[in-house]
Short mmCIF file of all heavy atoms in Angstrom, two decimals:
data_model
loop_
_atom_site.label_atom_id
_atom_site.label_comp_id
_atom_site.label_asym_id
_atom_site.label_seq_id
_atom_site.Cartn_x
_atom_site.Cartn_y
_atom_site.Cartn_z
N MET A 1 0.85 -1.17 -0.01
CA MET A 1 0.01 0.01 0.04
C MET A 1 0.89 1.26 0.00
O MET A 1 2.01 1.23 0.46
CB MET A 1 -0.93 0.01 1.21
CG MET A 1 -2.01 -1.07 1.14
SD MET A 1 -3.12 -1.19 2.51
CE MET A 1 -3.74 0.45 2.77
N ILE A 11 -8.11 8.74 7.50
CA ILE A 11 -9.30 9.59 7.23
C ILE A 11 -10.56 8.88 7.66
O ILE A 11 -11.53 9.47 8.20
CB ILE A 11 -9.32 10.07 5.78
CG1 ILE A 11 -8.21 11.11 5.52
CG2 ILE A 11 -10.68 10.60 5.36
CD1 ILE A 11 -7.95 11.46 4.15
N GLN A 13 -10.85 6.80 10.11
CA GLN A 13 -10.88 6.90 11.55
C GLN A 13 -11.32 8.29 11.97
O GLN A 13 -12.08 8.45 12.93
CB GLN A 13 -9.48 6.60 12.12
CG GLN A 13 -9.07 5.14 11.97
CD GLN A 13 -9.92 4.20 12.78
OE1 GLN A 13 -10.25 4.39 13.91
NE2 GLN A 13 -10.32 3.12 12.13
N LEU A 36 -0.76 -1.89 12.64
CA LEU A 36 -0.68 -2.32 14.05
C LEU A 36 -1.85 -1.73 14.87
O LEU A 36 -2.34 -2.35 15.79
CB LEU A 36 0.61 -1.81 14.72
CG LEU A 36 1.88 -2.42 14.24
CD1 LEU A 36 3.07 -1.81 14.97
CD2 LEU A 36 1.87 -3.95 14.44
N ALA A 39 -6.93 4.61 15.12
CA ALA A 39 -7.75 5.27 16.18
C ALA A 39 -8.16 6.63 15.69
O ALA A 39 -7.54 7.26 14.82
CB ALA A 39 -6.95 5.42 17.44
N GLY A 40 -9.23 7.14 16.31
CA GLY A 40 -9.69 8.47 16.16
C GLY A 40 -9.61 9.15 17.50
O GLY A 40 -9.43 8.54 18.50
N THR A 45 -15.16 11.55 24.56
CA THR A 45 -15.68 10.24 24.91
C THR A 45 -14.99 9.69 26.17
O THR A 45 -15.68 9.17 27.09
CB THR A 45 -15.45 9.21 23.76
OG1 THR A 45 -16.12 9.76 22.60
CG2 THR A 45 -16.01 7.87 24.07
N ASP A 48 -10.69 12.70 28.59
CA ASP A 48 -9.25 12.58 28.76
C ASP A 48 -8.55 13.55 27.77
O ASP A 48 -8.58 13.34 26.59
CB ASP A 48 -8.79 11.16 28.48
CG ASP A 48 -7.32 10.91 28.61
OD1 ASP A 48 -6.56 11.86 28.84
OD2 ASP A 48 -6.91 9.76 28.49
N ARG A 59 -0.55 3.72 21.95
CA ARG A 59 -0.81 2.77 23.01
C ARG A 59 -1.22 1.39 22.47
O ARG A 59 -0.68 0.38 22.97
CB ARG A 59 -1.89 3.32 23.98
CG ARG A 59 -1.40 4.53 24.78
CD ARG A 59 -2.52 5.14 25.59
NE ARG A 59 -2.07 6.23 26.37
CZ ARG A 59 -2.90 7.21 26.78
NH1 ARG A 59 -4.19 7.17 26.56
NH2 ARG A 59 -2.40 8.21 27.47
N ALA A 61 -0.65 0.19 19.48
CA ALA A 61 0.44 -0.44 18.70
C ALA A 61 1.48 -1.06 19.62
O ALA A 61 1.96 -2.13 19.45
CB ALA A 61 1.08 0.59 17.77
N ALA A 64 0.10 -4.20 20.91
CA ALA A 64 0.11 -5.23 19.85
C ALA A 64 1.49 -5.83 19.69
O ALA A 64 1.60 -7.04 19.44
CB ALA A 64 -0.40 -4.63 18.56
N GLY A 66 3.88 -5.65 22.12
CA GLY A 66 4.45 -6.00 23.35
C GLY A 66 5.71 -5.25 23.64
O GLY A 66 6.60 -5.74 24.38
N TYR A 68 7.04 -0.91 24.07
CA TYR A 68 6.68 0.53 23.97
C TYR A 68 7.55 1.24 22.91
O TYR A 68 7.21 2.35 22.51
CB TYR A 68 6.88 1.26 25.29
CG TYR A 68 8.28 1.37 25.76
CD1 TYR A 68 8.98 2.56 25.61
CD2 TYR A 68 8.94 0.32 26.37
CE1 TYR A 68 10.29 2.68 26.02
CE2 TYR A 68 10.27 0.45 26.79
CZ TYR A 68 10.91 1.59 26.63
OH TYR A 68 12.23 1.75 27.05
N GLY A 72 10.99 1.58 13.71
CA GLY A 72 10.72 1.27 12.30
C GLY A 72 9.32 1.52 11.85
O GLY A 72 8.99 1.38 10.66
N ALA A 83 2.19 19.37 20.27
CA ALA A 83 3.45 19.20 21.03
C ALA A 83 3.41 17.90 21.82
O ALA A 83 4.43 17.16 21.80
CB ALA A 83 3.75 20.40 21.92
N GLN A 91 9.40 9.49 21.93
CA GLN A 91 9.46 8.49 23.01
C GLN A 91 9.22 7.09 22.44
O GLN A 91 9.83 6.11 22.93
CB GLN A 91 8.49 8.83 24.11
CG GLN A 91 8.79 10.06 24.84
CD GLN A 91 10.21 10.09 25.43
OE1 GLN A 91 10.63 9.16 26.10
NE2 GLN A 91 10.87 11.20 25.24
N ALA A 95 9.61 5.91 13.31
CA ALA A 95 10.58 6.22 12.26
C ALA A 95 10.07 7.31 11.31
O ALA A 95 10.86 8.20 10.93
CB ALA A 95 10.91 5.00 11.46
N ILE A 98 3.77 10.74 8.77
CA ILE A 98 3.14 11.16 7.53
C ILE A 98 1.77 11.80 7.90
O ILE A 98 0.99 11.16 8.57
CB ILE A 98 2.85 9.97 6.59
CG1 ILE A 98 4.15 9.23 6.25
CG2 ILE A 98 2.20 10.48 5.28
CD1 ILE A 98 4.44 8.07 7.19
N GLY A 100 -1.57 14.75 7.07
CA GLY A 100 -2.34 15.44 6.05
C GLY A 100 -2.26 16.94 6.11
O GLY A 100 -1.36 17.54 5.54
N PRO A 104 -2.33 25.30 11.80
CA PRO A 104 -1.76 26.64 12.09
C PRO A 104 -1.98 27.18 13.50
O PRO A 104 -1.29 28.08 13.93
CB PRO A 104 -2.40 27.55 11.05
CG PRO A 104 -3.71 26.87 10.68
CD PRO A 104 -3.41 25.39 10.79
N GLY A 106 -2.00 24.92 16.35
CA GLY A 106 -1.47 24.07 17.37
C GLY A 106 -0.46 23.05 16.87
O GLY A 106 0.00 22.20 17.67
N LEU A 113 5.27 25.23 16.09
CA LEU A 113 6.49 24.77 16.74
C LEU A 113 7.17 23.71 15.80
O LEU A 113 6.49 23.17 14.96
CB LEU A 113 6.24 24.08 18.09
CG LEU A 113 5.56 24.96 19.14
CD1 LEU A 113 5.16 24.10 20.35
CD2 LEU A 113 6.46 26.08 19.64
N THR A 128 6.79 13.49 6.44
CA THR A 128 6.19 13.76 5.13
C THR A 128 4.87 14.44 5.31
O THR A 128 3.89 13.80 5.72
CB THR A 128 5.98 12.42 4.36
OG1 THR A 128 7.22 11.76 4.25
CG2 THR A 128 5.42 12.71 2.94
N LEU A 132 -2.95 13.83 1.26
CA LEU A 132 -4.38 14.01 1.30
C LEU A 132 -4.76 15.15 2.20
O LEU A 132 -5.74 15.11 2.97
CB LEU A 132 -5.05 12.70 1.74
CG LEU A 132 -4.82 11.50 0.79
CD1 LEU A 132 -5.64 10.32 1.32
CD2 LEU A 132 -5.19 11.76 -0.61
N ALA A 133 -4.00 16.22 2.15
CA ALA A 133 -4.21 17.42 3.00
C ALA A 133 -5.58 18.00 2.78
O ALA A 133 -6.26 18.44 3.75
CB ALA A 133 -3.10 18.41 2.78
N LEU A 139 -12.48 17.85 6.42
CA LEU A 139 -13.17 17.17 7.51
C LEU A 139 -13.24 18.12 8.72
O LEU A 139 -14.34 18.25 9.34
CB LEU A 139 -12.45 15.88 7.93
CG LEU A 139 -12.62 14.66 7.08
CD1 LEU A 139 -11.67 13.57 7.58
CD2 LEU A 139 -14.08 14.18 7.14
N LEU A 140 -12.11 18.80 9.00
CA LEU A 140 -12.10 19.73 10.13
C LEU A 140 -12.99 20.91 9.84
O LEU A 140 -13.75 21.35 10.69
CB LEU A 140 -10.67 20.17 10.36
CG LEU A 140 -9.74 19.08 10.91
CD1 LEU A 140 -8.29 19.59 10.86
CD2 LEU A 140 -10.13 18.75 12.35
N THR A 142 -15.62 21.23 7.89
CA THR A 142 -17.02 20.80 7.96
C THR A 142 -17.47 20.64 9.43
O THR A 142 -18.53 21.11 9.81
CB THR A 142 -17.27 19.54 7.17
OG1 THR A 142 -16.87 19.78 5.80
CG2 THR A 142 -18.70 19.11 7.24
#
Side-chain angles (χ1 to χ4, degrees):
M1 290 179 52
I11 287 170
Q13 292 295 314
L36 295 178
T45 302
D48 179 355
R59 290 175 181 157
Y68 70 100
Q91 296 302 314
I98 304 91
L113 302 170
T128 304
L132 300 182
L139 284 172
L140 291 168
T142 300

